[in-house]
Amino acid sequence: MTELLNNAYNTESFRESGHKLVNLLADYLDEALTSPENQKVLPWLIPEKQLDKWRKHLKSEISIEDTFKEIIENSIHIHNPKYIGHQVSAPLPLSALADLLGNFLNNGQAIYEMGPVSQAMERIVIEWISAKLNLSEKAEGILTSGGTIGNLTALLAARQAKSDFDIWNSGVLNHKLAFMVSEHSHYSVERAVKIMGLGEIGLIKVKVDEKFRIDVSNLENSFNEANENGTKIIGLIANACTTAAGTYDFLDEIGDFCNSHKIWFHVDAAHGAAASLSEKYKYLLKGIEKADSVVLDFHKMFMVPALTTAVIFKNPEHSYQTFAQKAEYLLNKEHSWFNGANRTMECTKIMLSLRVYMALHAYGDKLFTDFVETTYKRAEEFAELIKETKNFELLFEPQSNIVCFRYIPEGINSEEKLNAINAEIRKKLTEDGTFYIVQTKLNNKIYLRTTIMNPFTKISDLKKLLGLITIMS
Ligand SMILES: Cc1ncc(COP(=O)(O)O)c(C=O)c1O
């Protein structure tokens, strides 16, 4: 045993550094919530300078505590109420602590004995959310690392279930299989289809309405057209909700369409599944119970750290068929819910379930209800504010906590100029760092896109954002 190894595992240093880190994070959270104006959301540095900084740091003698501080200072501050950018949650302190616990225990979960607690908790978390989504009592699923992998996992199951040959072993060559996808599906859906080897012909893009929801009246046409071209449609992917504009597809009607054609119905509810926790908003998910598979990201609307994704299957059999593989030393032929690797892309997996389970245990459903209702309502209020404020145009009334708008200065009508102005605003905002928002292009128009991910974001913060944009442009 070397002295260095001994020192690296020293229990007293661990205790000391751990206490210091928790103190730092508690102060950091306090500042973000009580005096957010003292903190730039994004301490902007160009990538080369950032790289240079950490190259120098690596060679320095800076202490562990000061390094923790520097990491915090130079990161984007998701807990600051003026962070209203991409759909990443401001994690609950308890979920972050659960993560520390899980990372330290490092129970890998590929097979039961490598993660007995987290495997049982995973089953409980999936049962809980399946019930909220009104899925069949028999539904089963798994947790995995992100919606991107989640969508791929679900579509692999769809392909296995709906192609009438043993595709896992024979491959996809010479088979024109396709999924119907919304033009507004998240890019991970197209990526999954391409990874599966279905190519461009594997994507039948269906039309959307003026709110970027699948145009249900056009589905039959798209289906027949593809069939006539010799393509076998095996499934359809609906959004709940769309990434760019936050609108929910008509799941009920789409579910009926899929059932009538006996194709797989997958709902990408990575962002919007949380509406199921609210009596007020759960109507948005009507019909989700018809889905063969559902993906949802707990790290988006459930206040837990990334990545924590659930993939749920209406028929548990399908979850086992996804990976029809043999590995005598590890994988189990029997259908055992407690052997994770049978059903996930990952072999070793971090203890994802702890993050959700701990929050559920400590606070109950109501915490998640409060979160979704607070953030969705704030988005409605923000939309009102945009409509009332001179020179701003709201894309449309939000259905979720995603709000898109643009700045239209007086006398400017050219779409090209408006695009340039709004792209410039977003660039200036990023470099300024007081707020963090993103941009998106819809119908060839650049919109500023905000997602209210923090329940502490107040309407006064959003007023300040519009004020800053007006001053900047
Ligand atoms: C609808 C939708 N699906 C999938 C994803 C991908 O999720 P992840 O970033 O967890 O891989 C996103 C991410 O924003 C999304 O909005």
Side-chain angles (χ1 to χ4, degrees), residues 321-341:
Q321 286 168 356
T322 320
F323 307 103
Q325 221 173 352
K326 295 191 185 81
E328 297 303 340
Y329 61 93
L330 188 72
L331 300 181
N332 209 308
K333 282 194 210 87
E334 285 107 59
H335 291 181
S336 43
W337 61 265
F338 41 81
N339 292 311

Side-chain angles (χ1 to χ4, degrees), residues 112-154:
Y112 176 67
E113 62 265 32
M114 286 304 292
V117 175
S118 46
Q119 201 65 71
M121 287 183 174
E122 182 164 322
R123 180 153 178 138
I124 293 168
V125 165
I126 297 280
E127 280 170 359
W128 165 71
I129 197 63
S130 300
K132 293 289 156 203
L133 289 167
N134 211 13
L135 303 180
S136 148
E137 273 181 25
K138 291 198 189 112
E140 279 192 24
I142 45 103
L143 294 182
T144 192
S145 303
T148 301
I149 291 182
N151 278 330
L152 175 59
T153 307

Side-chain angles (χ1 to χ4, degrees), residues 288-321:
I288 199 166
E289 66 283 357
K290 296 178 183 171
D292 293 293
S293 56
V294 174
V295 154
L296 70 107
D297 280 351
F298 285 110
H299 57 274
K300 289 189 166 60
M301 295 294 289
F302 291 79
M303 296 165 283
V304 306
L307 296 159
T308 318
T309 295
V311 188
I312 310 175
F313 296 93
K314 181 169 28 182
N315 177 351
E317 191 62 28
H318 291 136
S319 68
Y320 293 102
Q321 286 168 356

Side-chain angles (χ1 to χ4, degrees), residues 165 172-179 198 201-202 226-234:
F165 50 95
V172 291
L173 282 180
N174 307 323
H175 300 287
K176 282 172 80 178
L177 303 177
F179 286 95
L198 304 189
I201 54 165
N227 254 348
E228 281 158 23
N229 292 338
T231 306
K232 179 176 164 57
I233 293 183
I234 52 175

